[in-house]
Amino acid sequence: MQCLVLGGGGWVSDNFAFSLARALNAPFSTVYTKVFPDGESYVRLPGEASSFESVCLVKSLDYPQDKGVAELILELDALREKGIRDVTLIVPYMAYARQDREFLEGEAVSIRALLRILRAAGAQRLYVVEVHKAESLKYFGGEAVNVSPYEYMAKFLEVDDDTVVIAPDIGAYGRAERLAKALGVEFDYLVKTRDRVTGEVSYKPKEVNVEGRNVIIVDDIISTGGTIAKSAGMLRAAGARRIDVVAAHALLVGDAWSRIMASGVTRVYAANTVKPQSGSPIIIDVAPTVAEALGGNR
Ligand code: R5P
């Protein structure tokens, strides 16, 4: 059954939806959104939506996240009221994913709350581009798929045989593995080491020697740029030659871009899941890989 691909409003969502529709060879439309003078959200479905039994709604939850969440709830409810039961929700950037457990007593598990709400609001199935932890998708309580963008992004990277992919920490090791395997190069992650004499703390690749080699740091999110800048600085100190970065979601808040550039990074590649708030990363359109994950039958 062919779905109507619906951009849920906003530059990122509508462009992503347009590219997805093209890859699926499916019809495309957008939701009209506006903000009332008091700050409340308004959404209106396009007229043609009611003539489809199946809709693929694309809504990225990038900045301002709370506005996006409010619009998305309204959109899902409006689709249900139009009798459209088959709703596939595609979220290029899933916000609130890093608060995935109760770190301190009494804290809300934000991703659990959000996914439960989206399911209850009418999303039948969910496709997300590289959520912070794929296990979190269990909170959706229905079919939920994490789409890895790195294998597709690998096609756009310049590497040599001696390039090495490095994760900034063990949490991103799987990401480094996926990208490195697609590129056919080595991979590793940074571990904290403490000098026994001076007590100085530094981060070094666990096993791989980066001296004189080109390095690609991979992570899911760049927010303040602190993780990437620190990692790049350490890799530079360990003798790395050119350092590039691959990220799924380049939020690049505040002075993130200048911090990253000052740390010696040459290029930052990012997926088209968010609108970076600073800098000029090289944006790769990953909608075709989401189309492939959807199976071409939507
Ligand atoms: C953390 O677990 C994430 O995977 C990212 O490493 C983190 O969100 C990056 O944040 P920042 O750019 O502020 O260091």
Side-chain angles (χ1 to χ4, degrees):
M1 187 188 351
Q2 195 180 48
C3 69
L4 169 68
V5 179
L6 203 50
W11 191 84
V12 172
S13 302
D14 291 350
N15 279 287
F16 199 103
F18 180 75
S19 179
L20 184 68
R22 198 173 41 190
L24 290 171
N25 198 20
F28 163 75
S29 191
T30 55
V31 177
Y32 172 70
T33 62
K34 71 172 181 180
V35 181
F36 284 112
D38 62 359
E40 290 177 2
S41 301
Y42 168 96
V43 314
R44 185 179 180 201
L45 300 179
E48 65 266 37
S50 6
S51 52
F52 285 83
E53 286 178 15
S54 177
V55 164
C56 290
L57 175 63
V58 179
K59 186 71 170 168
S60 186
L61 299 178
D62 66 332
Y63 181 83
Q65 297 87 333
D66 295 354
K67 183 57 58 195
V69 170
E71 288 173 352
L72 180 51
I73 293 167
L74 301 182
E75 288 164 5
L76 288 168
D77 191 70
L79 287 168
R80 178 155 55 192
E81 283 303 306
K82 285 287 162 204
I84 303 159
R85 299 271 170 244
D86 187 30
V87 177
T88 301
L89 174 60
I90 293 124
V91 183
Y93 172 62
M94 177 59 79
Y96 287 107
R98 283 170 288 176
Q99 184 72 30
D100 56 4
R101 64 187 170 95
E102 197 179 340
F103 297 96
L104 298 175
E105 175 71 22
E107 283 181 342
V109 178
S110 310
I111 188 67
R112 183 180 64 204
L114 181 55
L115 293 181
R116 282 177 176 169
I117 289 167
L118 297 180
R119 176 83 168 146
Q124 264 75 59
R125 63 192 76 77
L126 175 66
Y127 282 72
V128 182
V129 178
E130 193 63 340
V131 66
H132 181 56
K133 280 198 195 118
E135 310 88 83
S136 303
L137 295 182
K138 65 177 184 248
Y139 295 126
F140 181 67
E143 183 187 342
V145 177
N146 183 51
V147 182
S148 172
Y150 309 115
E151 295 84 345
Y152 183 78
M153 294 172 85
K155 298 179 196 170
F156 300 85
L157 308 181
E158 282 170 34
V159 291
D160 55 36
D161 292 347
D162 207 28
T163 297
V164 57
V165 176
I166 298 284
D169 50 45
I170 183 80
Y173 189 59
R175 300 184 166 110
E177 182 175 13
R178 279 179 267 149
L179 179 62
K181 286 194 168 158
L183 292 169
V185 300
E186 270 192 295
F187 60 99
D188 201 354
Y189 67 99
L190 295 181
V191 281
K192 197 176 179 177
T193 52
R194 190 180 292 275
D195 186 296
R196 285 175 195 277
V197 181
T198 63
E200 198 187 328
V201 170
S202 62
Y203 290 81
K204 289 212 169 77
K206 188 158 191 300
E207 283 164 4
V208 167
N209 181 2
V210 295
E211 197 172 348
R213 300 174 72 177
N214 292 330
V215 174
I216 297 175
I217 306 174
V218 62
D219 208 355
D220 59 334
I221 299 170
I222 307 175
S223 180
T224 65
T227 304
I228 296 297
K230 192 172 71 183
S231 306
M234 296 295 172
L235 290 163
R236 182 70 72 200
R241 202 147 47 107
R242 194 185 69 220
I243 302 175
D244 289 332
V245 174
V246 170
H249 315 292
L251 306 176
L252 292 167
V253 305
D255 63 354
W257 183 257
S258 42
R259 287 175 84 177
I260 290 170
M261 289 298 116
S263 72
V265 167
T266 304
R267 286 174 293 206
V268 178
Y269 296 87
N272 59 332
T273 58
V274 300
K275 187 166 187 285
Q277 288 179 53
S278 68
S280 45
I282 300 162
I283 301 292
I284 298 172
D285 175 11
V286 300
T289 200
V290 173
E292 206 178 311
L294 282 163
N297 59 354
R298 297 266 114 224

